[in-house]
Amino acid sequence: MSMIAAFYSGKSILITGATGFMGKVLMEKLFRTSPDLKVIYILVRPKAGQTTQQRVFQILNSQLFQKVKEVCPNVHEKIRAIYADLNHNDFAISKEDMQELLSCTNIIFHCAATVRFDDHLRHAVQLNVTATQQLLLMASQMPKLEAFIHISTAFSNCNLKHIDEVIYPCPVEPKKIIDSMEWLDDAIIDEITPKLIGDRPNTYTYTKALGEMVVQQESGNLNIAIIRPSIVGATWQEPFPGWVDNLNGPSGLIIAAGKGFLRSIRATPMAVADLIPVDTVVNLTLAVGWYTAVHRPKSTLIYHCTSGNLNPCNWGKMGFQVLATFEKAPFEKAFRRPNADFTSNLITSQYWNAVSHRAPAIIYDFYLRLTGRKPRMTKVMNRLLRTVSMLEYFVNRSWEWSTYNTEMLMSELSPEDQRVFNFDVRQLNWLEYIENYVLGVKKYLLKEDMAGIPEAKQHLKRLRNIHYLFNTALFLIAWRLLIARSQMARNVWFFIVSFCYKFLSYFRAPSTLKV
Ligand SMILES: CCCCCCCCCCCCCCCCCCCCCCCCCC(=O)SCCNC(=O)CCNC(=O)[C@H](O)C(C)(C)COP(=O)(O)OP(=O)(O)OC[C@H]1O[C@@H](n2cnc3c(N)ncnc32)[C@H](O)[C@@H]1OP(=O)(O)O
Ligand SMILES: NC(=O)C1=CN([C@@H]2O[C@H](COP(=O)(O)OP(=O)(O)OC[C@H]3O[C@@H](n4cnc5c(N)ncnc54)[C@H](OP(=O)(O)O)[C@@H]3O)[C@@H](O)[C@H]2O)C=CC1
């Protein structure tokens, strides 16, 4: 019997960010391994014209939850969606709901965040710092609370090269930042943002670091742990391999590359690609929840959920396997044939941007105009290149994260728990994982049918022929222009033609003799 699964039985669990990528997998695993849990409270806001109930209904009826329905048929009754918006200081939770949360909650998993790299500092602070502070305040009023698990990111200290499982303070206190956001106007915030974030690349990593400081400062008597995952990718094993449902991290780039839009990137092939499957993060999170509640460590423990120091893979190998999978199972209706140029050189990368990205987009828009349609490719390409430029920081550097606490926890688990809540990335086969990841992107994100693969392959062949035809035509035009202008080019041309003629006559002569 799994001790961790047994621990969650009968518990009332509060999850923030349950509608997000990680939150859904966390809920799924909890219901599947501990179907006897009492209730999962989730803080949800209405979104995209859907009420909170409709959103929950959609999640529970998705493919991800199919196995759960077999083990826990009354899952609908065990999930309690609470209307909440973390942008409001009191989360806009009703009095009755708040009362229920305060009196019943046993465990909190705080996953909600804004993960946009370029979010306005005011909004990023509200979500990643103030909301964390508010939740801690709520937690301090929960008499039955056993553990508070805060999800941060391994990149909260990406300005350092070696990162230990400790909290590194930011120069300005989070309380001062929270206060200043209340009275500074947007223009001034824009001006001071670069100074505040310092050598971090974006407001996301900065506010996640502030969020950790808040957790440390406001922990009081709470039993708290922090988890820092690196780049979270599709599922490795559970509930099935390759599941992914958003464009964050590598997923969006895999689509852009598979559809032939993205053909080069400024990346260092030998830099460590610190990817971690989402089910691994969730397994560690649940194990940490159990350990924190049962063993009650004296101080707040931080757990790095990373792969680089235990089972490293680099971007070059990853890109190679992504392309190999495109060969086997290409994406439908590609714009161009997938290809990859990795260059760490800025000038080469700008050259490839012009030749491989901007020029084809301009030519395609010209074709759309000629055929009476609205040009759109240049706009799409500009947005893609902007996104890529924001991710470049992470594919040109390597970090070392120590994993003492994570390894200590692994050794504390029973063999059964090590199996059911496996977070040992040393067992991960990267090539297999990446192949499943790309297939998962095709299946679950693009919703493409595997039966369409032969047609997709045909389409790529047509694109290859168009590519050869286009290059030949381009070469002939360029050559014709050159011959018209340069005596030397003409001489070279006559030399090649006479050489070919002699070559052919040589072969024709013996064959004539035979006859
Ligand atoms: C070596 C490769 C070689 C490839 C060469 C060739 C290929 C060969 C194969 C190679 C592939 C394999 C290797 C890949 C390397 C991956 C490195 C990843 C590093 C990640 C590190 C993460 C570390 C930190 C981890 C964490 O701790 S946190 C979680 C991470 N957080 C994020 O990943 C949020 C990012 N996003 C935003 O920050 C916002 O999205 C924003 C970007 C501001 C736009 O923002 P905006 O322009 O306002 O508008 P949106 O609506 O948001 O998006 C506008 C449009 O871009 C789309 N789109 C949004 N996203 C992405 C995305 N990712 N990728 C692509 N597209 C995206 C969206 O669909 C929309 O398309 P549309 O609808 O226009 O058609
Ligand atoms: N994905 C990754 O690569 C990594 C993620 N992390 C961390 O993991 C955690 C989960 O990330 P992930 O699941 O990928 O992110 P998602 O963007 O998929 O999910 C974010 C969640 O936060 C919720 N949320 C955002 N704003 C509000 C709000 N105002 N009120 C209520 N809920 C809100 C979202 O709700 P809604 O659906 O309504 O928008 C969603 O459920 C985050 O703390 C992130 O920093 C750490 C490392 C890497």
Side-chain angles (χ1 to χ4, degrees):
M1 172 68 180
S2 155
M3 282 200 293
I4 299 177
F7 166 76
Y8 289 105
S9 292
K11 293 279 192 296
S12 299
I13 299 156
L14 168 62
I15 302 181
T16 69
T19 50
F21 179 46
M22 204 182 294
K24 284 180 205 158
V25 181
L26 180 64
M27 267 201 298
E28 196 276 342
K29 177 87 182 199
L30 266 170
F31 279 128
R32 191 157 42 81
T33 51
S34 307
D36 294 337
L37 62 80
K38 192 168 175 202
V39 63
I40 296 187
Y41 296 111
I42 60 173
L43 301 190
V44 198
R45 55 180 173 169
K47 199 176 178 185
Q50 283 189 310
T51 63
T52 54
Q53 292 306 330
Q54 284 166 334
R55 294 189 73 189
V56 175
F57 185 78
Q58 195 179 33
I59 293 173
L60 294 183
N61 285 305
S62 66
Q63 211 166 346
L64 183 71
F65 277 75
Q66 258 167 20
K67 280 191 185 165
V68 163
K69 284 188 179 157
E70 289 162 23
V71 215
C72 182
N74 59 340
V75 59
H76 287 90
E77 294 159 19
K78 293 202 171 219
I79 194 161
R80 176 118 150 65
I82 293 192
Y83 176 101
D85 188 342
L86 273 58
N87 282 320
H88 292 263
N89 271 351
D90 56 358
F91 295 173
I93 299 177
S94 75
K95 252 190 185 163
E96 300 73 44
D97 287 341
M98 184 61 95
Q99 205 47 54
E100 187 176 341
L101 285 177
L102 295 183
S103 56
C104 301
T105 306
N106 301 119
I107 317 280
I108 297 178
F109 293 108
H110 178 34
C111 304
T114 167
V115 301
R116 286 184 66 93
F117 292 150
D118 68 339
D119 221 344
H120 193 268
L121 188 64
R122 188 195 299 285
H123 186 242
V125 167
Q126 173 60 38
L127 248 294
N128 298 347
V129 193
T130 316
T132 303
Q133 191 188 42
Q134 289 296 120
L135 194 65
L136 284 160
L137 189 69
M138 266 174 73
S140 67
Q141 299 163 46
M142 293 176 173
K144 292 186 184 160
L145 192 74
E146 296 171 47
F148 181 114
I149 311 302
H150 173 74
I151 309 293
S152 185
T153 166
F155 295 96
S156 53
N157 301 293
C158 59
N159 50 327
L160 305 176
K161 191 165 163 40
H162 179 90
I163 301 153
D164 281 319
E165 289 163 306
V166 296
I167 291 174
Y168 296 91
C170 298
V172 185
E173 282 291 311
K175 274 188 198 138
K176 283 191 182 155
I177 301 283
I178 294 173
D179 287 348
S180 62
M181 292 300 128
E182 275 166 23
W183 58 270
L184 288 177
D185 67 26
D186 281 357
I188 300 179
I189 293 178
D190 287 341
E191 215 165 288
I192 61 170
T193 298
K195 293 187 184 81
L196 285 174
I197 67 174
D199 48 4
R200 286 186 178 78
N202 50 44
T203 53
Y204 170 68
T205 50
Y206 174 62
T207 53
K208 288 299 275 189
L210 288 177
E212 289 182 4
M213 283 180 75
V214 160
V215 171
Q216 189 186 40
Q217 291 171 355
E218 317 259 324
S219 58
N221 293 327
L222 294 171
N223 217 359
I224 299 194
I226 296 176
I227 296 175
R228 289 184 182 151
S230 48
I231 303 171
V232 182
T235 52
W236 168 20
Q237 291 163 322
E238 290 181 86
F240 38 80
W243 182 84
V244 57
D245 83 335
N246 73 19
L247 292 167
N248 289 341
S251 311
L253 292 198
I254 290 175
I255 295 185
K259 293 279 184 186
F261 295 111
L262 182 71
R263 289 164 62 92
S264 105
I265 188 165
R266 193 166 74 80
T268 307
M270 292 313 288
V272 175
D274 210 300
L275 215 65
I276 191 89
V278 62
D279 45 340
T280 306
V281 182
V282 161
N283 286 345
L284 173 70
T285 304
L286 291 174
V288 168
W290 160 79
Y291 185 81
T292 311
V294 172
H295 293 268
R296 307 182 73 86
K298 285 199 183 69
S299 60
T300 299
L301 291 188
I302 294 155
Y303 298 84
H304 282 163
C305 192
T306 53
S307 57
N309 66 335
L310 296 172
N311 181 5
C313 178
N314 61 44
W315 290 110
K317 182 173 168 183
M318 202 163 276
F320 184 80
Q321 183 63 1
V322 169
L323 284 183
T325 313
F326 291 154
E327 291 277 324
K328 282 193 212 165
F331 293 173
E332 291 169 12
K333 297 185 187 131
F335 173 59
R336 294 183 69 197
R337 274 169 9 106
N339 190 21
D341 283 302
F342 296 95
T343 170
S344 44
N345 182 297
L346 190 64
I347 295 174
T348 324
S349 133
Q350 279 173 352
Y351 167 79
W352 284 121
N353 265 350
V355 172
S356 288
H357 298 140
R358 294 192 198 281
I362 292 169
I363 294 169
Y364 188 72
D365 276 351
F366 181 64
Y367 162 74
L368 288 180
R369 261 202 198 110
L370 280 184
T371 51
R373 282 174 287 173
K374 207 174 155 217
R376 58 191 157 82
M377 195 50 75
T378 312
K379 205 170 153 199
V380 170
M381 199 55 88
N382 284 340
R383 287 187 83 168
L384 175 65
L385 293 182
R386 187 176 154 258
T387 299
V388 170
S389 71
M390 282 191 203
L391 300 180
E392 272 173 3
Y393 177 90
F394 301 94
V395 288
N396 284 290
R397 289 168 175 77
S398 296
W399 288 267
E400 289 156 19
W401 286 279
S402 62
T403 47
Y404 298 114
N405 290 339
T406 306
E407 288 175 66
M408 173 280 293
L409 181 59
M410 215 180 298
S411 66
E412 291 281 321
L413 300 192
S414 67
E416 176 66 354
D417 279 331
Q418 286 181 354
R419 189 184 63 76
V420 181
F421 296 90
N422 181 15
F423 52 87
D424 187 354
V425 280
R426 284 171 292 205
Q427 295 164 18
L428 185 95
N429 175 335
W430 280 110
L431 296 185
E432 196 180 280
Y433 173 68
I434 295 160
E435 178 169 321
N436 285 332
Y437 194 158
V438 175
L439 294 178
V441 165
K442 181 174 170 67
K443 217 161 142 188
Y444 306 113
L445 262 181
L446 294 172
K447 313 245 181 288
E448 290 183 5
D449 195 340
M450 293 296 160
I453 289 176
E455 168 53 28
K457 284 188 175 166
Q458 276 302 321
H459 178 68
L460 288 192
K461 271 192 192 149
R462 280 195 292 275
L463 287 180
R464 186 194 55 195
N465 294 344
I466 293 173
H467 176 76
Y468 287 155
L469 212 70
F470 181 81
N471 278 3
T472 313
L474 206 66
F475 173 77
L476 289 177
I477 293 168
W479 189 238
R480 186 70 197 86
L481 290 175
L482 201 67
I483 284 179
R485 280 171 177 69
S486 150
Q487 181 59 44
M488 183 134 104
R490 272 199 293 276
N491 291 345
V492 172
W493 179 239
F494 288 133
F495 175 76
I496 293 170
V497 170
S498 64
F499 181 80
C500 291
Y501 179 75
K502 278 184 193 149
F503 189 71
L504 287 175
S505 337
Y506 175 79
F507 279 104
R508 212 188 297 149
S511 62
T512 325
L513 276 177
K514 256 186 217 163
V515 173

